[in-house]
């Protein structure tokens, strides 16, 4: 289908400047043209003017995206599409324009990549829903970003935005070919939006707004859900209801040319001191947290009870320990402990601010591996015993409690 567009597009230069300021804070990976931010900034005003001129005249055409692969938790690889810096800026301009007009219509339980919404809000809503409803469908959509149907997505855009130029540019971005790692160029086949594209999360939210959110709310009002991009948890009142809704979801996804990943989709029972039914699966994961029965002590009378709570998942605890172990600096006893702190503190701040939201105990045990690595490093540096290295580390922590971010936040 050909999309007609007016000769001029109502985009102002200041919108491009604002888009550049936002995108500039993000990823540094270069696109297919290998242009870095340092190169772009050498003549930033001219470069921004060219982007604006082409966007405003309707003549902006994106380049192919560069495909890279990153490892997933299951050992497989996730494909990311890296647009050029110019395309990222241009996408941000159109994304900001669209977002102002359509974000307010999205479902309140859609949390991913939205203004004034956060992962922690989604995690907390799941926790609250688990108190109210006993059963959970933990679902995973197979290759979601790769399978988004272009025709259905553009239909959704036409439904919510009347300006033809918006659809024109989205269509061009959807149709960007992909440069594989061997350098070959592959055209799109009418589906997929690259993970790594600035506008892709907004397009994904629009797609699932119609494909899932509104459909579930209309057809199964007795259930509730939380969605963060394509991570979805559906809460149900009974096992039979969960089984029925899961089968209906499979049929619905087929209608919108998607499907669930069977091996990662299951029904879980929110077992706690009030819920005593037997079920093989009493845990699920969402956004890096594991929800499952755990022993707790009552603050009122000190008695133990079973609560269905969230804390950092076992797979993410392992991921953190692996990252700590693999840092190269441990092999260099000639560096100073402040150098290690400078290297680690940004990571520590991120882990603690995110995973420390619930159950500090598990995260504290995980971060203990840093102190163990520090002890071994001190043994090498000072050619001393384990006992003396522990004593030295404790003395350092006492003298400089703010040296490491986890020390100053009660995780030491």
């Amino acid at each position: 289908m050909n999309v007609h567009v007016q000769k001029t597009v109502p985009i102002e230069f200041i919108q491009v400047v604002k888009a550049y300021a936002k995108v500039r804070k993000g990823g540094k990976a270069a696109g297919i043209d290998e242009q870095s931010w340092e190169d772009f900034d050498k003549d930033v005003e001219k470069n921004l003017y060219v982007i604006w001129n082409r966007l405003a005249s309707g003549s902006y055409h994106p380049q192919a995206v560069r495909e890279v692969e990153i490892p997933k938790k299951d050992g497989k690889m996730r494909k990311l599409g890296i647009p050029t810096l110019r395309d990222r800026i241009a996408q941000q301009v159109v994304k900001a324009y669209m977002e102002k007009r359509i974000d307010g219509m999205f479902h309140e339980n859609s949390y991913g990549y939205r203004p004034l919404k956060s992962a922690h809000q989604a995690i907390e809503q799941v926790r609250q829903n688990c108190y109210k409803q006993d059963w959970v469908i933990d679902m995973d959509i197979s290759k979601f970003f790769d399978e988004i149907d272009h025709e259905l997505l553009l239909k959704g855009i036409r439904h919510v935005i009347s300006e033809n130029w918006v659809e024109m540019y989205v269509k061009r971005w959807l149709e960007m070919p992909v440069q594989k790692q061997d350098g070959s160029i592959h055209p799109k086949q009418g589906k997929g939006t690259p993970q790594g594209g600035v506008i892709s999360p907004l397009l994904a939210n629009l797609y699932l707004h119609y494909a899932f959110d509104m459909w579930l709310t209309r057809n199964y009002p007795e259930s509730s859900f939380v969605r963060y991009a394509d991570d979805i948890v559906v809460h149900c009142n009974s096992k039979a209801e969960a089984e029925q809704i899961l089968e209906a979801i499979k049929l619905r996804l087929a209608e919108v040319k998607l499907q669930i990943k069977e091996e990662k989709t299951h029904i879980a029972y929110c077992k706690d001191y009030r819920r005593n039914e037997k079920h093989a699966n009493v845990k699920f994961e969402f956004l890096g947290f594991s929800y499952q029965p755990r022993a707790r002590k009552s603050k009122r009378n000190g008695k133990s009870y079973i609560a269905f709570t969230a804390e950092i998942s076992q797979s993410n605890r392992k991921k953190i320990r692996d990252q700590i172990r693999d840092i190269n600096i441990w092999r260099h006893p000639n560096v100073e402990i402040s150098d290690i702190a400078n290297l680690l503190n940004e990571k520590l701040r991120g882990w603690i601010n995110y995973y420390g939201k619930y159950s500090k105990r598990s995260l504290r045990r995980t971060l203990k591996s840093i102190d163990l690595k520090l002890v071994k490093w001190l043994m090498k540096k000072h050619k001393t015993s384990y006992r003396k290295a522990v004593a030295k580390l404790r003395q350092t922590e006492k003298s400089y409690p703010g040296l490491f971010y986890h020390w100053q936040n009660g995780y030491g």
Side-chain angles (χ1 to χ4, degrees):
M1 182 191 71
N2 292 322
V3 179
H4 300 289
V5 63
Q6 57 266 47
K7 290 183 179 179
T8 59
V9 173
I11 292 175
E12 298 179 358
F13 183 66
I14 188 62
Q15 293 172 264
V16 179
V17 173
K18 289 179 179 178
Y20 161 76
K22 186 172 182 65
V23 174
R24 184 68 174 83
K25 299 175 184 176
K28 297 180 180 179
I32 189 174
D33 61 356
E34 298 184 353
Q35 185 179 40
S36 67
W37 282 119
E38 289 72 22
D39 293 334
F40 187 93
D41 290 345
K42 287 176 183 176
D43 202 349
V44 63
E45 187 171 352
K46 178 184 176 182
N47 288 329
L48 294 180
Y49 181 85
V50 169
I51 294 170
W52 168 71
N53 185 271
R54 291 177 181 172
L55 280 174
S57 64
S59 62
Y60 187 91
H61 288 271
Q63 293 181 268
V65 297
R66 181 173 65 87
E67 186 175 270
V68 298
E69 294 184 341
I70 59 172
K72 296 165 64 175
K73 287 182 183 178
D74 58 8
K76 297 179 181 178
M77 303 301 288
R78 184 190 307 277
K79 294 179 180 179
L80 297 182
I82 308 299
T84 64
L85 306 186
R86 294 168 186 266
D87 284 335
R88 280 179 241 176
I89 295 168
Q91 286 187 29
Q92 176 59 35
V93 171
V94 179
K95 177 196 171 188
Y97 187 92
M98 292 177 64
E99 202 165 54
K100 286 181 181 178
R101 288 153 180 79
I102 68 175
D103 183 78
M105 76 176 204
F106 289 155
H107 199 285
E108 63 180 353
N109 289 330
S110 166
Y111 291 90
Y113 308 105
R114 295 183 59 193
L116 305 179
K117 295 276 192 175
S118 71
H120 278 158
Q121 290 175 336
I123 292 159
E124 175 61 21
Q125 189 60 57
V126 169
R127 200 171 72 95
Q128 294 297 329
N129 288 350
C130 288
Y131 292 149
K132 300 171 187 175
Q133 294 178 287
D134 296 0
W135 296 85
V136 161
I137 302 170
D138 177 19
M139 58 177 286
D140 189 288
I141 299 177
S142 179
K143 299 179 181 177
F144 169 66
F145 281 88
D146 295 333
E147 296 296 328
I148 289 177
D149 183 78
H150 291 179
E151 185 178 344
L152 289 176
L153 178 55
L154 292 171
K155 180 180 178 182
I157 289 173
R158 290 193 295 273
H159 186 69
V160 296
I161 293 183
S162 59
E163 294 94 334
N164 289 338
W165 65 268
V166 173
E167 181 187 351
M168 176 190 72
Y169 279 133
V170 170
K171 187 171 187 290
R172 288 179 186 175
W173 282 313
L174 289 175
E175 294 174 347
M176 287 188 299
V178 177
Q179 184 191 61
K180 298 290 185 177
Q181 292 183 324
D182 63 3
S184 61
I185 302 291
H186 293 249
K188 286 289 184 66
Q189 302 295 326
K191 64 181 182 179
T193 181
Q195 282 186 273
V198 172
I199 204 169
S200 293
L202 179 63
L203 300 181
N205 274 335
L206 179 62
Y207 198 89
L208 286 176
H209 172 74
Y210 290 113
F212 183 83
D213 301 356
M214 301 313 295
W215 170 84
L216 187 74
T217 302
R218 183 173 59 250
N219 290 281
Y220 296 95
E222 69 278 10
S223 69
S224 55
F225 76 94
V226 173
R227 181 172 68 78
Y228 193 94
D230 59 328
D231 284 332
I232 306 173
V233 173
V234 181
H235 304 262
C236 307
N237 296 309
S238 68
K239 182 180 179 184
E241 182 181 280
E243 291 171 342
Q244 178 192 358
I245 291 176
L246 178 55
E247 290 307 309
I249 287 172
K250 292 177 183 179
L251 294 175
R252 172 57 180 172
L253 291 182
E255 290 176 358
V256 295
K257 302 185 180 182
L258 298 171
Q259 62 181 349
I260 66 165
K261 186 178 289 186
E262 293 282 355
E263 65 271 23
K264 287 194 172 183
T265 297
H266 61 271
I267 293 171
Y269 180 50
C270 303
K271 188 179 179 67
D272 63 13
Y273 71 96
R274 301 168 299 151
R275 299 157 169 160
N276 298 311
E277 291 185 38
K278 290 186 177 180
H279 191 260
N281 193 7
V282 293
K283 66 179 289 187
F284 66 94
E285 290 190 15
F286 181 68
L287 298 183
F289 286 82
S290 172
Y291 295 75
Q292 64 187 77
R294 293 183 175 91
R296 292 288 184 264
K297 280 193 176 183
S298 171
K299 293 181 180 179
R300 183 168 54 87
N301 56 25
K303 291 185 178 180
S304 296
Y305 67 100
I306 299 297
F308 196 83
T309 61
E311 65 179 42
I312 180 174
S313 67
Q314 185 174 350
S315 59
N316 280 285
R317 292 200 300 268
K318 182 181 183 301
K319 184 177 179 181
I320 289 174
R321 288 194 298 267
D322 288 346
Q323 287 187 46
I324 293 168
R325 181 197 63 212
D326 293 341
I327 292 173
N328 190 50
I329 202 167
W330 303 120
R331 302 188 185 97
H332 300 283
N334 56 313
V335 302
E336 299 301 323
I337 195 168
S338 58
D339 297 323
I340 300 176
N342 290 335
L343 183 65
L344 281 174
N345 277 339
E346 185 177 351
K347 290 180 180 292
L348 285 166
R349 185 178 292 107
W351 293 330
I352 290 171
N353 290 347
Y354 186 74
Y355 292 112
K357 179 74 173 177
Y358 300 104
S359 188
K360 291 183 177 181
R361 182 177 55 182
S362 292
L363 184 58
R364 186 181 293 113
R365 287 200 299 265
T366 303
L367 296 182
K368 282 288 185 186
S369 61
I370 292 176
D371 288 0
L372 291 174
K373 294 293 285 186
L374 284 169
V375 168
K376 292 179 180 178
W377 174 81
L378 285 168
M379 289 171 67
K380 287 182 183 178
K381 183 176 181 67
H382 298 287
K383 297 181 174 57
T384 189
S385 67
Y386 178 83
R387 181 178 59 81
K388 289 182 178 180
V390 169
K392 185 169 184 59
L393 183 64
R394 289 296 155 252
Q395 182 58 48
T396 303
E397 182 178 358
K398 185 177 178 180
S399 302
Y400 306 99
L403 182 60
F404 285 90
Y405 191 80
H406 69 302
W407 286 359
Q408 58 185 282
N409 285 274
Y411 288 87

